Amino acid sequence: MDKIYKETAKVLKAISDPKRLKIVDMLSCGELCACEILEEFKITQPTLSHDMRVLVEAGIVVDRREGKNIYYSLNTDTLDRVQLTLGRVFSGGSDCICHNKNASGEDC
C-alpha cells in the first residue's frame, strides 16, 4: 500500500503547479504538439520542457517524437489509478486504512 501512496503523491506533486495542471487540462481534449502548448503560456521552450519532463516522469503524460516535433497526450491508465486511489482515500470504505488493525492488534 505504501507504494500506492508514493505513486499517488508523485502525481499530485507534479500537478500541484498551476501551469502543469492547466497543461493536463489542455491535454484532456487530446494530443497536442509542444508548440501548441507553448503558445498558451508566456514561457520559454526550456521551461516548458522542464514542466513536461515532470509530467512524463510522474507518469501523467506520454510523449512521442515525430520529426522535430514532440507530441504529448495523457496517460489515462495513471490518471484512472490515481482517481481510484483518491476515491478510496476519501471514502472511508471497507478497504480504508482506518478499518485495518494496527501493529498491536487493536482497532485504529
Side-chain angles (χ1 to χ4, degrees):
M1 190 66 169
D2 285 341
K3 181 180 177 186
I4 293 170
Y5 291 143
K6 288 178 183 178
E7 290 172 357
T8 302
K10 186 175 184 177
V11 169
L12 294 175
K13 183 177 180 181
I15 62 173
S16 68
D17 176 85
K19 181 176 12 112
R20 290 193 291 261
L21 184 58
K22 185 175 180 178
I23 291 169
V24 170
D25 192 12
M26 291 170 63
L27 293 173
S28 70
C29 297
E31 182 180 70
L32 292 172
C33 176
C35 58
E36 295 172 300
I37 298 170
L38 195 56
E39 289 174 3
E40 183 67 27
F41 300 96
K42 291 179 174 35
I43 58 173
T44 64
Q45 189 278 328
T47 300
L48 177 64
S49 291
H50 168 75
D51 286 320
M52 298 313 296
R53 185 173 52 253
V54 169
L55 293 171
V56 168
E57 288 176 359
I60 302 167
V61 171
V62 292
D63 58 352
R64 68 176 182 86
R65 184 173 291 277
E66 190 174 297
K68 291 184 178 185
N69 294 322
I70 300 176
Y71 292 86
Y72 296 98
S73 59
L74 293 180
N75 182 345
T76 55
D77 291 340
T78 297
L79 295 174
D80 289 345
R81 196 168 44 252
V82 168
Q83 189 174 20
L84 182 63
T85 300
L86 291 176
R88 285 188 197 132
V89 168
F90 295 142
S91 73
S94 62
D95 60 346
C96 181
I97 195 170
C98 63
H99 296 291
N100 295 329
K101 300 241 184 220
N102 65 22
S104 67
E106 299 173 14
D107 288 333
C108 296

